[in-house]
Amino acid sequence: MKIINQIDKLRSAVSSARSDNKKIGFVPTMGALHDGHRSLIERAVTECDFVIVSIFVNPTQFEQGSDYDSYPRTLDADAKICKTVGADIVFAPNASEMYPKELLSWVQVEKMTEGLCGAFRKGHFKGVTTVCAKLFNIVQADRAYFGKKDAQQLAVIKKMVSDLNFPLEIIGCETVREPDGLAMSSRNKYLTEQQRKQAPLVYASLQLCEFLVSQGQSDVKFLKSEMEKLLGKGELLKPEYIEFVDAATLDPVDGFSNDVLVAIACYLGKARLIDNITITPKS
Ligand code: AMP
């Protein structure tokens, strides 16, 4: 496995794999890899012939005053994981090469980025779609793998790829969790011992919602209030939003006629945790 930092070197490595008719898989990450990332890389390795994992803490998706400087950076450990899982290249570009001058060209998906996390993280998705468009152009993969944990990101990237005709298939991968249900995240490192004990309530509230729906409950207001009650048991948890939206369009819903994404964001100390489930209505 090679670690490549420069865009032109990455391009030539990928083009020689492509001329050997290899199917190219791409897993974009910000590093601090955990088993959630590992599952994406494993799937890419299973389904593709040549796999690139990018590790880039993208400055344009961090709002002012957020954790860009303190975001965990663990390149050596990350590269070991990528090698063990069978990736061919770790692409770790420098911010100075990704953004050499003032950026005047942005890629933005409208409407779908206004709600959920987009309502609280101004400019975040504009940074995400722009860096993904840049990385897709640099890597030129056949398939890119994204986690369902970041459900809004996945839906937005799928829309961008479809609207702008990127010749690329986007694959959504299941959320990997700790044994107590907490969705794995690089930001879980910020949790203190006491905060960590309360973190599983986030997924527990989603499971409660799923259970109540399976029992025939479909009143979104009631479901939200039951979830809030459960989250309230963690006095350190500060819910930011609980939303029920159409899983494909991200439009708010008040019932269960199509697949419904139930999405949560909570603060626990300085960690912002997000999680979600998709509920498919019984036919
Ligand atoms: P990040 O490094 O946090 O930007 O995440 C890189 C990719 O890994 C994104 O597509 C995430 O959705 C995905 N990912 C992060 N955490 C998990 C998880 N617990 N399970 C599955 N995928 C994940």
Side-chain angles (χ1 to χ4, degrees):
M1 190 197 74
K2 281 191 195 153
I3 300 179
I4 295 180
N5 303 110
Q6 284 149 311
I7 294 172
D8 58 349
K9 293 211 169 111
L10 189 275
R11 280 192 197 278
S12 63
V14 177
S15 70
S16 77
R18 184 169 292 289
S19 60
D20 292 341
N21 269 334
K22 291 189 171 167
K23 185 176 248 248
I24 315 285
F26 177 41
V27 184
T29 81
M30 297 205 301
L33 300 186
H34 50 65
D35 284 353
H37 300 111
R38 182 192 281 262
S39 74
L40 269 53
I41 305 167
E42 275 167 358
R43 183 148 172 207
V45 167
T46 308
E47 296 179 355
C48 304
D49 307 311
F50 192 81
V51 171
I52 298 116
V53 179
S54 68
I55 295 181
F56 180 58
V57 184
N58 172 39
T60 63
Q61 72 187 70
F62 285 77
E63 314 92 277
Q64 278 227 322
S66 67
D67 59 344
Y68 176 70
D69 290 331
S70 58
Y71 196 85
R73 288 161 169 88
T74 57
L75 184 60
D76 291 347
D78 293 347
K80 277 191 194 135
I81 292 173
C82 294
K83 188 171 177 191
T84 315
V85 179
D88 297 278
I89 291 178
V90 167
F91 176 48
N94 295 314
S96 56
E97 198 190 2
M98 288 294 280
Y99 299 109
K101 310 182 193 93
E102 184 191 5
L103 192 68
L104 298 179
S105 311
W106 295 86
V107 180
Q108 194 160 10
V109 174
E110 297 176 352
K111 202 168 139 231
M112 294 173 78
T113 55
E114 284 167 12
L116 305 171
C117 291
F120 298 90
R121 304 187 67 188
K122 294 290 173 204
H124 168 71
F125 284 109
K126 186 175 161 189
V128 169
T129 42
T130 301
V131 80
C132 284
K134 284 168 74 71
L135 288 168
F136 292 166
N137 282 333
I138 292 166
V139 175
Q140 310 247 330
D142 299 293
R143 293 176 151 203
Y145 295 79
F146 285 81
K148 292 185 184 175
K149 184 187 79 93
D150 299 278
Q152 186 175 19
Q153 170 173 279
L154 174 60
V156 165
I157 295 290
K158 278 188 173 164
K159 184 72 177 133
M160 174 187 88
V161 161
S162 148
D163 282 354
L164 300 182
N165 305 91
F166 280 88
L168 171 72
E169 190 183 352
I170 301 297
I171 315 283
C173 304
E174 294 307 320
T175 300
V176 177
R177 302 178 179 283
E178 301 288 355
D180 61 10
L182 174 65
M184 289 189 182
S185 162
S186 308
R187 290 188 167 98
N188 291 351
K189 290 186 176 151
Y190 300 154
L191 296 170
T192 64
E193 202 180 322
Q194 211 192 353
Q195 290 162 353
R196 176 65 187 82
K197 284 190 185 139
Q198 297 187 6
L201 282 169
V202 177
Y203 185 51
S205 73
L206 291 166
Q207 286 180 302
L208 171 65
C209 175
E210 191 169 37
F211 170 74
L212 292 171
V213 174
S214 76
Q215 299 302 297
Q217 184 55 253
S218 62
D219 179 342
V220 165
K221 269 195 192 143
F222 174 79
L223 291 165
K224 242 189 213 186
S225 77
E226 290 303 299
M227 292 169 75
E228 278 161 359
K229 260 193 242 165
L230 183 56
L231 289 171
K233 295 197 170 159
E235 73 281 2
L236 303 173
L237 268 171
K238 305 274 173 272
E240 188 174 66
Y241 69 75
I242 300 173
E243 296 285 351
F244 290 64
V245 298
D246 181 286
T249 64
L250 307 185
D251 290 333
V253 296
D254 53 14
F256 290 82
S257 42
N258 295 320
D259 279 4
V260 171
L261 177 76
V262 186
I264 291 193
C266 281
Y267 272 96
L268 198 45
K270 68 176 179 129
R272 183 174 179 278
L273 306 180
I274 59 170
D275 203 348
N276 66 82
I277 50 166
T278 298
I279 297 182
T280 302
K282 285 192 195 124
S283 50

